[in-house]
Amino acid sequence: MTAPLTPPHQPQPHDAHAWPSPYPPLSENDGVPSTATELRQAAVVAAVSTVAGTALGLLWLWLAPRVPLISDGKAVFLRHSEGEAAIGADGTFVLLALGFGAVAALVVFLFHRHGGVGLVLGLAAGGVLGSLLAWGVGTYLGPTHDVVGHAKAVGPNVVFDAPLKLEMWQGAILAWPLAAMIVHLGVTAVFGPRDPEPEWPPTAPDQL
């Protein structure tokens, strides 16, 4: 009498249901929004950030130091030639823009913890557009750009404010989007949802 070729309790070679699958089945979307939904969310983030640029412009107009000018009736001069108010206007804008970018990133993360490239791009685009709007609001509502006409209107030896300007506007405009992207990526990496570990089905003792 010959021994059986297949040991007892050993599954047949062609029995597909005897061995556990190498990976557990994943859910259909695993909680991640679709591409269309993410694009809509990114558009909303960009639009809200752009509108928030109005608040940045008003704060910049309120907090930025003024550059005093004076006229002798023939020409216009700086009231204090050694003053650093012009640089202070740029610094005030950059600091405010960094704060707006950080707050925007935190708000977006609280509402959309899944993150995503679309939201980061929405933050970046909204930051650029919001900064441009803030620049326009601050310069439009600030002192007039017609310095000569203003000097003639106030008369000689009367101090008046120079127009509000961004001397280094390229860097100032990028402060908001850079801060938003860095903060959002940071909080997402630290506090964002983690991918679940695969749960392996228990192995029966007779399959060892």
Side-chain angles (χ1 to χ4, degrees):
M1 182 176 181
T2 59
L5 297 178
T6 303
H9 308 292
Q10 183 73 16
Q12 297 298 325
H14 301 288
D15 191 355
H17 300 284
W19 297 97
S21 60
Y23 298 102
L26 297 176
S27 58
E28 184 174 348
N29 53 16
D30 203 23
V32 178
S34 63
T35 302
T37 301
E38 188 172 347
L39 290 177
R40 286 195 299 269
Q41 293 172 350
V44 172
V45 169
V48 174
S49 298
T50 302
V51 174
T54 304
L56 173 58
L58 294 176
L59 284 174
W60 180 47
L61 176 62
W62 178 37
L63 298 175
R66 298 292 188 263
V67 178
L69 302 177
I70 192 170
S71 171
D72 62 355
K74 297 180 180 179
V76 179
F77 306 93
L78 289 172
R79 182 70 174 85
H80 304 289
S81 58
E82 72 280 1
E84 299 179 353
I87 301 176
D90 282 35
T92 302
F93 188 96
V94 169
L95 290 177
L96 290 172
L98 291 174
F100 269 70
V103 171
L106 292 175
V107 171
V108 169
F109 175 75
L110 291 177
F111 281 92
H112 308 289
R113 289 182 175 270
H114 65 272
V117 178
L119 289 175
V120 176
L121 294 178
L123 281 170
V128 172
L129 295 175
S131 297
L132 291 174
L133 179 59
W135 184 15
V137 169
T139 55
Y140 179 77
L141 298 179
T144 178
H145 285 252
D146 185 6
V147 176
V148 175
H150 195 186
K152 292 179 179 179
V154 300
N157 301 321
V158 176
V159 178
F160 60 96
D161 292 333
L164 193 58
K165 296 181 179 180
L166 278 179
E167 300 295 339
M168 302 177 63
W169 64 269
Q170 298 93 335
I173 294 301
L174 294 178
W176 182 338
L178 287 177
M181 289 189 296
I182 292 173
V183 172
H184 186 267
L185 291 175
V187 294
T188 302
V190 176
F191 303 105
R194 298 290 189 271
D195 293 333
E197 294 292 336
E199 298 180 359
W200 296 93
T203 304
D206 55 359
Q207 296 180 359
L208 296 177

